[in-house]
Amino acid sequence: MDKVIEFLDANEKKWVERLSQNVAIASISCSPDNRPQTIEQMHVADKMLKELGCSTEIVDLGSHTMHDGKSHPLPPVILAKLGDDPNKKTLLIYGHLDVQPALRSDGWDTDPFVLTEKDGKMYGRGSTDDKGPVLGWVNVIESFQKTNTEIPINIKFCLEGMEESGSVGLEELVRKRDDFFKTNVDWVCISDNYFLGKTKPCVTYGLRGCMYFYLEVICAKQDLHSGVFGGSVHEATVELSHIFSSLVDVKGKILIDGVGKEVDDLTEEEMKTYADIDFDMGAYQADVGTNKLTEESKAKLLMRRWREPSLSIHGIQGAFAEPGEKTVIPGKVIGKFSIRLVPSMSFDHVEKCVKDHIEAVHAKLGTGNQVKCYLAKGPGKPWKAETTTPNYQAAIKAVEDVWGVKPDLTREGCSIPITLVFEEVTGRSVLLLPMGSSDDGAHSQNEKLNKINYTNGMKVFANYIHRLGKE
Amino acid sequence: MDKVIEFLDANEKKWVERLSQNVAIASISCSPDNRPQTIEQMHVADKMLKELGCSTEIVDLGSHTMHDGKSHPLPPVILAKLGDDPNKKTLLIYGHLDVQPALRSDGWDTDPFVLTEKDGKMYGRGSTDDKGPVLGWVNVIESFQKTNTEIPINIKFCLEGMEESGSVGLEELVRKRDDFFKTNVDWVCISDNYFLGKTKPCVTYGLRGCMYFYLEVICAKQDLHSGVFGGSVHEATVELSHIFSSLVDVKGKILIDGVGKEVDDLTEEEMKTYADIDFDMGAYQADVGTNKLTEESKAKLLMRRWREPSLSIHGIQGAFAEPGEKTVIPGKVIGKFSIRLVPSMSFDHVEKCVKDHIEAVHAKLGTGNQVKCYLAKGPGKPWKAETTTPNYQAAIKAVEDVWGVKPDLTREGCSIPITLVFEEVTGRSVLLLPMGSSDDGAHSQNEKLNKINYTNGMKVFANYIHRLGKE
């Protein structure tokens, strides 16, 4: 193992270069214009795995209709196997290579698609979410091989290019391909989340789900001049603002009747776990850059992020969003909001509550506008795992070996919808093993991955593989 | 005069071609990228006026900082004179050659910058607002000249390229240049508004003003992942929605304390004028394409548009506005709204009411977010004129001659901020003489000018000049 670690250290430049090459591919899965790059990125991944000696399969998922009303081919899923020794157990690794949208004009200090290193941080879209971790696995396997160190387990990869857009087609594939996912899988590892703070590593056993809603309001068949028509129409943006403000208060309390009903009660045992977690409220607040958080105690704030639903208003499509002054009454606007789900909230109940609420508010407002609320495809369920399994124990010890500190056991506020599917289909322990830090800015401007998280993260992966080999 | 009318009829193709050439220049004054075209458009106008024999002056207004943070040269104002016969009176004509933004992807059926004729309608950005009317004057003067018909008055032109962006620099110029605006001006005519309905012409004696507000809310120093952070921050979009919904109700009633206080009382005399106006509520509703208007009676609806303030929410800058699903908590958003002013509302009072209101609502919400409300440059005052002047009477008769129907005396909901300045500086009667129809879609997708409005509009201009010559 020491040789592997040494090799990882000695080839740092190569690993950064590999990340740089992949960040340069603008694999924005929600953008029709970027679909070719997203597909290209998957083929690049396939090539890398082939070079490691994996047997790979490029799984065509067909096509789907995107928001431009046109049909586009889906990025393929790459299924790969390395080793099929019946005397070894098998680890299934999941990752994604698509990214969120990013424009320099959104407020990036550097080109989002040029990996730029500064003060030990590597800036670029996808650096931490999730290209860095995926390439980390590739680098680790290469390091085992180049140092002639036997990999003590069989490895399977499942890499997708639609995670940021609801993982369209993946669940179906996983449920269909028992030969790959159900047979010969002993553990599952997903590295697509973040440390709780900036420096202390953690291992994660819970996730929130997500339901993304479109809220369409139409007041006119086209945009109107606000001078000519102002005062005579029930403006769509005004109705949307009234409905938005009926969904959630400014402290984040969801005002939709029934949405909190299914949330698991807090047990005393769970309550206790919050006390020991290393979480610096001051640092968190400073990172967010806000004057005031919604809660004043550590436990309450973590519970708000991990075990309570939240509702975010993302924006409005169809309204005036550019700089400058446009005196327009938008004729049709689509509000976007989402609800983060926690155990044991269900899609059907939440969807019904949301739709009933909006219908009732709209009816009360009495505008006569056309109002329609619909759920985006691919909602994600919430999830919680047992941490006593060998999978979790191997990871916890690997982290401790590399970082010299026992990782916190955490949950995450965000969603990785496929986690639950892997658990159901494989029937095995699914582990979330983060590489990046809380301030990496996934989905934001200036997304980055700390160099130390990349290098230590790879050592954790190597150590974890080594420890699983002893099981 | 008959020769002029004949010539106008015979050269229709030429007038359409001239409009087409000018529509092709994307003179979007609010866009830094389009500033060169906006400047070019003014030089094209100067050339046309020179070809008519005008003595012209290209007035440099210096430069200003645009929303990209950079300094850009302002489009020049063109001041032109045709004739200086001391025995003739002088008409000052104002128009603008800049346009609102337009993208094919906004929902235009044709390229906004290619004039496209279909079923007697000429589609293109600026066709009706305000290139069509400005070129109408040019065509009319050419027709007098080519038919050797003496123009019975002196004519002055003031053409600008910043009307859609607050007419930056124009008011200052008008107030400074007494030699042009105060000396030797007997009447002023502005053709930058619309018929009340689709077909019946009108002459307009009132306008609403406009104050455009930016409402900035900052909850974080950058955008945040809604999964990771949702529930822990006072989201800027949520606070903005709550403030927006506190400004105005869905029926358009302004909820800001004090804003309606300065509105002129409705006199019985004014009330009576609404009865005779030709206004088809059903057609108006169908044009808007809405299920329900804010008022059910013609008089009340017209009053809402002409003599009452309105508040429109235009959109949000900084939130997610694209198609698709982005799970972002925007860190900084800028809401855009504007208030249409009516006599005798004042800028200072309205600004104070708005700022006090927002401050109070924000304080009550208690988010700790940074909230800032500020007024865009160049607010426009409301305006109302006397219709008994020779200027109005000449126009009313000219319309009746050409269209065969007595025009309605109307007011407009929109703003032409310079109207009031012309009235103040010249001390003369300012007339609004519309060429386009109510359904032209100024500022909207598929802006158009009916061919009949263009051709008859030119005949009205010619007849009006002829009648003024008799005063």
Side-chain angles (χ1 to χ4, degrees):
Chain A
M1 262 301 290
D2 292 348
K3 282 188 297 174
V4 174
I5 302 297
E6 271 166 35
F7 190 87
L8 280 167
D9 275 335
N11 289 277
E12 192 183 289
K13 209 177 147 190
K14 180 174 185 179
W15 315 140
V16 172
E17 177 54 28
R18 183 170 277 163
L19 180 56
S20 180
Q21 283 162 3
N22 282 269
V23 163
I25 305 168
S27 50
I28 303 165
S29 54
C30 75
S31 157
D33 291 345
N34 292 66
R35 184 50 55 89
Q37 289 103 303
T38 311
I39 292 170
E40 181 203 344
Q41 172 68 72
M42 299 315 295
H43 287 278
V44 167
D46 176 69
K47 189 162 170 276
M48 281 189 291
L49 294 178
K50 276 203 176 76
E51 283 167 5
L52 295 177
C54 294
S55 65
T56 72
E57 186 182 345
I58 300 175
V59 184
D60 180 10
L61 297 179
S63 59
H64 69 147
T65 303
M66 293 181 77
H67 52 71
D68 60 359
K70 292 179 191 153
S71 179
H72 295 267
L74 281 158
V77 165
I78 311 297
L79 299 180
K81 291 183 194 178
L82 185 71
D84 57 356
D85 187 335
N87 297 315
K88 290 179 181 174
K89 290 191 171 175
T90 302
L91 171 66
L92 170 64
I93 295 165
Y94 161 87
H96 69 89
L97 289 153
D98 60 315
V99 298
Q100 285 275 326
L103 293 171
R104 182 89 194 235
S105 61
D106 289 341
W108 282 71
D109 295 330
T110 56
D111 185 330
F113 298 102
V114 174
L115 192 74
T116 307
E117 207 177 322
K118 203 185 151 190
D119 300 332
K121 292 165 184 169
M122 302 181 293
Y123 294 91
R125 180 54 96 214
S127 56
T128 195
D129 182 17
D130 185 36
K131 295 185 179 185
V134 169
L135 298 172
W137 290 111
V138 171
N139 303 338
V140 164
I141 291 169
E142 184 179 327
S143 301
F144 271 93
Q145 292 173 335
K146 292 267 174 76
T147 56
N148 296 313
T149 311
E150 191 192 345
I151 300 174
I153 56 174
N154 301 315
I155 291 176
K156 287 183 181 177
F157 280 101
C158 170
L159 302 182
E160 70 155 323
M162 281 294 287
E163 198 274 341
E164 303 294 0
S165 301
S167 294
V168 180
L170 182 62
E171 177 170 348
E172 212 182 327
L173 175 74
V174 175
R175 294 192 186 281
K176 200 168 63 184
R177 289 290 300 270
D178 279 357
D179 63 306
F180 189 87
F181 293 100
K182 196 168 181 170
T183 312
N184 291 332
V185 171
D186 297 280
W187 314 283
V188 182
C189 182
I190 300 175
S191 188
D192 186 23
N193 66 309
Y194 310 95
F195 294 0
L196 181 57
K198 289 190 195 182
T199 52
K200 190 181 177 191
C202 62
V203 162
T204 306
Y205 70 99
L207 290 170
R208 291 198 288 192
C210 185
M211 295 175 80
Y212 202 103
F213 291 93
Y214 286 65
L215 173 50
E216 201 174 287
V217 183
I218 303 176
C219 72
K221 67 184 176 191
Q222 63 181 354
D223 290 352
L224 304 169
H225 186 302
S226 65
V228 181
F229 296 92
S232 63
V233 295
H234 299 86
E235 298 190 15
T237 48
V238 174
E239 174 153 25
L240 184 63
S241 300
H242 280 265
I243 297 178
F244 268 168
S245 64
S246 80
L247 297 176
V248 61
D249 74 14
V250 289
K251 295 182 178 19
K253 184 174 182 296
I254 298 174
L255 305 174
I256 302 164
D257 226 29
V259 161
K261 199 184 140 196
E262 297 174 314
V263 176
D264 286 355
D265 288 333
L266 176 67
T267 61
E268 261 190 55
E269 194 191 342
E270 187 186 332
M271 182 66 216
K272 279 181 202 158
T273 65
Y274 290 96
D276 291 334
I277 285 175
D278 179 47
F279 179 68
D280 182 337
M281 295 276 283
Y284 179 81
Q285 184 173 337
D287 280 341
V288 170
T290 194
N291 294 325
K292 192 176 164 185
L293 296 166
T294 53
E295 300 289 346
E296 286 176 9
S297 84
K298 180 180 84 172
K300 278 194 177 165
L301 192 80
L302 290 178
M303 284 192 266
R304 285 291 291 270
R305 295 171 64 198
W306 294 355
R307 65 156 357 269
E308 288 174 27
S310 63
L311 189 152
S312 293
I313 295 174
H314 306 298
I316 308 176
Q317 182 185 335
F320 177 54
E322 307 300 310
E325 294 118 40
K326 189 175 181 187
T327 50
V328 66
I329 298 173
K332 173 182 173 176
V333 292
I334 304 174
K336 311 275 180 82
F337 68 95
S338 66
I339 296 177
R340 296 284 160 175
L341 307 187
V342 295
S344 302
M345 292 167 79
S346 65
F347 294 156
D348 286 353
H349 177 72
V350 172
E351 186 175 358
K352 187 176 182 322
C353 290
V354 168
K355 287 185 171 172
D356 286 353
H357 173 89
I358 287 169
E359 206 171 295
V361 171
H362 169 59
K364 201 174 160 193
L365 292 173
T367 58
N369 288 336
Q370 298 171 58
V371 171
K372 201 166 74 180
C373 175
Y374 49 96
L375 186 59
K377 277 182 190 158
K381 290 183 188 173
W383 167 81
K384 216 171 71 155
E386 289 301 327
T387 58
T388 50
T389 59
N391 192 20
Y392 271 84
Q393 292 303 313
I396 289 165
K397 283 170 197 148
V399 171
E400 207 174 344
D401 270 1
V402 173
W403 290 90
V405 60
K406 208 173 160 68
D408 277 331
L409 291 179
T410 65
R411 285 160 74 170
E412 276 277 359
C414 64
S415 313
I416 310 171
I418 205 63
T419 310
L420 200 84
V421 179
F422 282 133
E423 191 179 75
E424 278 176 31
V425 171
T426 64
R428 303 295 187 173
S429 164
V430 179
L431 163 76
L432 301 188
L433 183 57
M435 176 182 264
S437 290
S438 64
D439 62 342
D440 281 358
H443 295 210
S444 299
Q445 302 93 330
N446 301 320
E447 177 182 342
K448 57 89 180 164
L449 177 63
N450 298 330
K451 177 93 77 77
I452 186 73
N453 288 52
Y454 193 41
T455 54
N456 270 2
M458 289 188 276
K459 291 175 194 173
V460 168
F461 290 171
N463 193 306
Y464 166 64
I465 286 173
H466 174 69
R467 287 181 176 279
L468 286 179
K470 293 180 182 169
E471 290 295 331
Chain B
M1 264 302 291
D2 290 349
K3 284 188 297 174
V4 176
I5 302 296
E6 272 167 34
F7 190 87
L8 280 167
D9 274 335
N11 288 277
E12 191 182 291
K13 208 176 149 191
K14 180 174 185 179
W15 316 140
V16 172
E17 177 55 28
R18 183 170 277 163
L19 180 56
S20 180
Q21 282 163 3
N22 282 269
V23 163
I25 305 169
S27 50
I28 303 165
S29 54
C30 75
S31 158
D33 291 346
N34 292 66
R35 184 51 56 89
Q37 289 102 302
T38 312
I39 292 170
E40 181 203 344
Q41 172 68 71
M42 299 315 295
H43 287 277
V44 167
D46 176 69
K47 188 161 172 277
M48 281 189 291
L49 294 179
K50 276 202 178 75
E51 283 168 5
L52 295 177
C54 294
S55 66
T56 71
E57 186 182 346
I58 300 174
V59 184
D60 180 9
L61 297 179
S63 59
H64 70 146
T65 304
M66 293 181 76
H67 52 71
D68 60 0
K70 292 178 192 152
S71 179
H72 294 267
L74 282 158
V77 165
I78 310 298
L79 299 181
K81 292 182 193 177
L82 186 71
D84 56 356
D85 186 336
N87 298 316
K88 291 179 181 174
K89 289 191 173 176
T90 303
L91 171 67
L92 170 64
I93 294 165
Y94 161 87
H96 69 90
L97 290 153
D98 61 314
V99 297
Q100 284 276 326
L103 292 171
R104 182 89 193 235
S105 60
D106 290 342
W108 283 71
D109 295 330
T110 56
D111 186 330
F113 299 103
V114 174
L115 192 75
T116 307
E117 206 177 322
K118 203 185 151 190
D119 301 332
K121 292 165 185 169
M122 302 181 292
Y123 293 90
R125 178 56 95 215
S127 56
T128 195
D129 182 16
D130 184 36
K131 295 184 178 184
V134 169
L135 298 172
W137 290 111
V138 171
N139 302 340
V140 164
I141 292 170
E142 184 179 327
S143 302
F144 271 92
Q145 293 173 334
K146 292 267 173 77
T147 55
N148 297 313
T149 311
E150 191 193 345
I151 301 174
I153 54 173
N154 302 315
I155 290 176
K156 287 184 182 178
F157 280 100
C158 170
L159 302 181
E160 70 155 324
M162 282 294 287
E163 198 274 341
E164 303 294 0
S165 301
S167 294
V168 180
L170 182 62
E171 177 169 349
E172 213 182 327
L173 176 74
V174 174
R175 294 192 186 281
K176 201 167 62 183
R177 289 290 301 270
D178 279 359
D179 62 306
F180 189 89
F181 293 101
K182 196 167 180 173
T183 311
N184 292 333
V185 170
D186 297 280
W187 315 283
V188 182
C189 182
I190 300 175
S191 187
D192 187 23
N193 67 308
Y194 311 95
F195 293 1
L196 182 58
K198 289 190 195 182
T199 51
K200 190 182 178 192
C202 61
V203 163
T204 306
Y205 69 99
L207 290 169
R208 290 198 289 191
C210 184
M211 295 175 79
Y212 202 102
F213 291 93
Y214 285 67
L215 173 50
E216 202 174 287
V217 183
I218 303 176
C219 72
K221 66 184 178 190
Q222 62 182 353
D223 289 353
L224 304 169
H225 186 301
S226 65
V228 180
F229 295 93
S232 64
V233 294
H234 299 86
E235 299 190 16
T237 48
V238 174
E239 174 154 24
L240 184 63
S241 300
H242 280 265
I243 298 178
F244 269 167
S245 65
S246 80
L247 298 175
V248 61
D249 74 14
V250 290
K251 295 184 177 20
K253 185 175 182 295
I254 297 175
L255 306 174
I256 302 164
D257 225 31
V259 161
K261 199 185 138 195
E262 298 175 314
V263 176
D264 286 355
D265 288 334
L266 177 68
T267 61
E268 260 190 57
E269 193 192 340
E270 186 185 334
M271 182 64 217
K272 278 181 201 156
T273 65
Y274 291 96
D276 291 335
I277 286 175
D278 179 47
F279 178 68
D280 181 337
M281 294 276 284
Y284 179 81
Q285 183 173 340
D287 280 340
V288 171
T290 193
N291 294 326
K292 191 177 165 186
L293 296 167
T294 52
E295 301 289 346
E296 287 176 10
S297 85
K298 179 181 82 171
K300 278 195 178 166
L301 192 79
L302 291 177
M303 284 192 264
R304 285 290 292 270
R305 294 172 64 199
W306 294 354
R307 64 155 359 267
E308 288 173 27
S310 63
L311 190 153
S312 293
I313 295 175
H314 308 296
I316 307 176
Q317 181 185 337
F320 177 55
E322 307 298 310
E325 293 118 41
K326 188 176 180 186
T327 50
V328 66
I329 299 174
K332 173 183 173 177
V333 292
I334 305 174
K336 311 274 179 83
F337 69 95
S338 67
I339 297 178
R340 296 284 161 176
L341 308 188
V342 294
S344 303
M345 293 168 78
S346 65
F347 293 157
D348 287 353
H349 177 73
V350 172
E351 186 175 0
K352 186 176 182 325
C353 290
V354 168
K355 287 187 172 173
D356 286 353
H357 173 88
I358 286 170
E359 206 172 295
V361 171
H362 169 58
K364 200 174 161 193
L365 292 173
T367 58
N369 288 336
Q370 297 171 59
V371 171
K372 201 166 73 182
C373 175
Y374 49 95
L375 186 59
K377 279 181 189 159
K381 291 182 188 172
W383 167 81
K384 217 171 71 160
E386 290 302 324
T387 57
T388 49
T389 59
N391 191 20
Y392 272 83
Q393 292 303 314
I396 289 166
K397 283 170 197 147
V399 170
E400 206 173 345
D401 269 2
V402 174
W403 289 91
V405 60
K406 207 173 162 67
D408 278 329
L409 291 180
T410 65
R411 285 160 74 172
E412 275 277 358
C414 65
S415 314
I416 310 170
I418 206 63
T419 310
L420 200 82
V421 179
F422 282 133
E423 190 180 75
E424 277 175 32
V425 171
T426 64
R428 304 295 187 173
S429 165
V430 179
L431 163 76
L432 301 188
L433 182 57
M435 177 182 263
S437 290
S438 64
D439 62 341
D440 281 357
H443 296 209
S444 299
Q445 302 94 329
N446 300 321
E447 177 183 343
K448 58 88 182 164
L449 176 64
N450 298 331
K451 176 104 59 92
I452 185 74
N453 288 52
Y454 193 41
T455 53
N456 269 3
M458 289 188 277
K459 291 176 194 170
V460 169
F461 290 170
N463 194 306
Y464 166 65
I465 287 173
H466 175 68
R467 288 181 176 277
L468 286 180
K470 296 180 181 167
E471 290 295 331

